[in-house]
Amino acid sequence: MSVSGKLKLVEEGRKAEDYRLDEQVGFVLRKANQRHLAIFAARIGDLTPPQFAALAKLYEVGETSQNQLGQLIAMDAATIKGVIDRLKARRLVALAPHAHDRRRLLVNLTDEGRIALESLLPRARDVTDETLAPLTPREAATFLRLLSKLADG
Amino acid sequence: MSVSGKLKLVEEGRKAEDYRLDEQVGFVLRKANQRHLAIFAARIGDLTPPQFAALAKLYEVGETSQNQLGQLIAMDAATIKGVIDRLKARRLVALAPHAHDRRRLLVNLTDEGRIALESLLPRARDVTDETLAPLTPREAATFLRLLSKLADG
DNA sequence: CGGAATTCGTTCGTGTACAAATGATATACC
DNA sequence: GGTATATCATTTGTACACGAACGAATTCCG
């Protein structure tokens, strides 16, 4: 780096060397997510987190349209479509036309999907527990509260 | 749900309806990540977070092998390759053979890459700030500490 | 020295993610 | 009633992300 470049940064009170990637929220967020993904894959190998999220949300709210389901689990239309396609291929969900709106596609759990989800719920709780294991219960509660504030903006 | 199924769950002290997807770490982690991605894209549209991470880490450590760089920023061999390929196509990094180990490919910033990174650093700080904006400074510090514990297992 | 185990980079296949464009259908409003 | 606008689902293209398998090169060790 040139001398003039250094001076400029020093005047701003920050040196380029002060930027440490490993301490940036985005970077650590990505690593935390990676660790969670690995735990999820180890315990629920046979379904991905987005697929599980779709089933769990359908279990909560019952039949909805494809896009609506996407909004509920924060996936855009293009993404939810792929997820639903794969769940449908495995007969965990079924699609039906909407009675009054021919644009809409209603999605719902099949019996098989409901049974699968119910059997996975205990393991899903274990995934959450193991992910939070590095924290004390008190820390975990604080963390979740702050994380939610961050996620919701 | 059948009556016997309900009884079983009650005996365990947890009802299936008690599982709320929106409160699970994994789900909120994914949403927080999404929000960060959007902020990053708005401020540094022209580079993705993985690409930026690769440049920033090269800036920190200087020339390294491709896989080593991947380890430093938590990307597996297959992923880092794509990232490097795209950075190389834009001449932000350059590859060179290793002097003594013919398996290795050394990666380094080009002058262009160094200049680009330096000009992006202030905006990268803004990305971090905006991401953490929903928290007070004190909360942000706590959050980062707990997030790191979580990420490192 | 020489074969076994490792490491490095590459490729393939699958699964998110999201922007942008598109066609079909609904709704709004004039 | 008929057009402008909006919504729903789909498709295309780009970019991670990771498991698995692979060849080439290196290191380990008997």
Side-chain angles (χ1 to χ4, degrees):
Chain A
M1 178 186 277
S2 70
V3 171
S4 63
K6 259 202 180 110
L7 280 177
K8 177 165 173 291
L9 288 166
V10 169
E11 278 160 16
E12 288 166 354
R14 297 159 153 179
K15 302 198 191 69
E17 304 82 45
D18 280 352
Y19 186 88
R20 280 190 288 277
L21 181 66
D22 317 81
E23 295 171 7
Q24 309 301 310
V25 224
F27 186 76
V28 190
L29 225 30
R30 181 171 149 273
K31 284 209 301 174
N33 219 34
Q34 272 180 4
R35 176 163 165 271
H36 173 259
L37 271 273
I39 292 169
F40 192 101
R43 292 194 182 260
I44 309 186
D46 148 78
L47 228 49
T48 66
Q51 289 167 11
F52 178 83
L55 295 185
K57 188 52 83 175
L58 280 177
Y59 191 83
E60 277 181 34
V61 303
E63 190 174 61
T64 27
S65 76
Q66 200 175 267
N67 278 5
Q68 171 104 47
L69 179 61
Q71 283 173 17
L72 292 172
I73 54 181
M75 292 181 204
D76 68 15
T79 302
I80 191 69
K81 184 186 190 303
V83 173
I84 294 298
D85 280 354
R86 286 179 283 274
L87 290 174
K88 185 183 139 208
R90 296 174 57 177
R91 300 176 201 289
L92 300 176
V93 303
L95 303 180
H98 188 285
H100 304 309
D101 188 338
R102 283 188 295 175
R103 293 169 308 178
R104 287 188 212 183
L105 216 48
L106 294 174
V107 197
N108 208 350
L109 290 174
T110 59
D111 288 347
E112 197 180 337
R114 199 179 320 274
I115 291 170
L117 178 71
E118 282 169 1
S119 79
L120 288 178
L121 279 179
R123 281 191 265 166
R125 295 184 220 268
D126 292 344
V127 169
T128 292
D129 291 347
E130 186 177 343
T131 300
L132 291 173
L135 307 181
T136 68
R138 204 179 139 71
E139 286 176 331
T142 302
F143 177 72
L144 270 177
R145 184 174 60 79
L146 299 180
L147 182 63
S148 292
K149 279 178 80 171
L150 210 75
D152 295 340
Chain B
M1 178 186 282
S2 70
V3 171
S4 62
K6 261 207 179 101
L7 280 177
K8 177 165 172 292
L9 288 167
V10 168
E11 280 161 11
E12 289 168 353
R14 298 160 153 181
K15 301 196 192 69
E17 305 84 44
D18 281 350
Y19 185 88
R20 281 191 286 278
L21 180 65
D22 317 82
E23 294 171 7
Q24 309 301 311
V25 222
F27 186 75
V28 190
L29 226 30
R30 182 171 149 274
K31 285 208 302 174
N33 219 32
Q34 273 180 6
R35 176 163 165 272
H36 173 259
L37 271 275
I39 292 169
F40 192 102
R43 293 193 181 260
I44 310 187
D46 152 73
L47 227 48
T48 65
Q51 288 167 12
F52 178 82
L55 295 185
K57 189 53 84 176
L58 279 177
Y59 191 82
E60 276 181 33
V61 303
E63 189 174 59
T64 26
S65 76
Q66 199 175 269
N67 278 4
Q68 171 106 48
L69 178 60
Q71 283 173 17
L72 292 173
I73 54 180
M75 293 180 204
D76 69 15
T79 301
I80 190 72
K81 184 185 190 304
V83 174
I84 294 298
D85 279 354
R86 287 179 283 275
L87 290 175
K88 185 182 139 207
R90 296 174 57 177
R91 301 178 200 288
L92 299 177
V93 303
L95 302 181
H98 188 283
H100 304 310
D101 188 339
R102 281 187 296 175
R103 292 169 307 177
R104 289 189 209 181
L105 258 179
L106 294 174
V107 196
N108 207 350
L109 290 174
T110 60
D111 289 345
E112 198 181 335
R114 198 179 320 274
I115 291 170
L117 177 71
E118 282 171 1
S119 79
L120 289 178
L121 278 178
R123 282 191 265 165
R125 294 185 220 268
D126 292 344
V127 169
T128 292
D129 291 348
E130 187 177 344
T131 302
L132 291 173
L135 307 182
T136 67
R138 207 180 136 69
E139 285 176 332
T142 302
F143 177 72
L144 269 177
R145 185 174 59 80
L146 298 180
L147 182 63
S148 292
K149 278 178 81 170
L150 210 75
D152 295 340

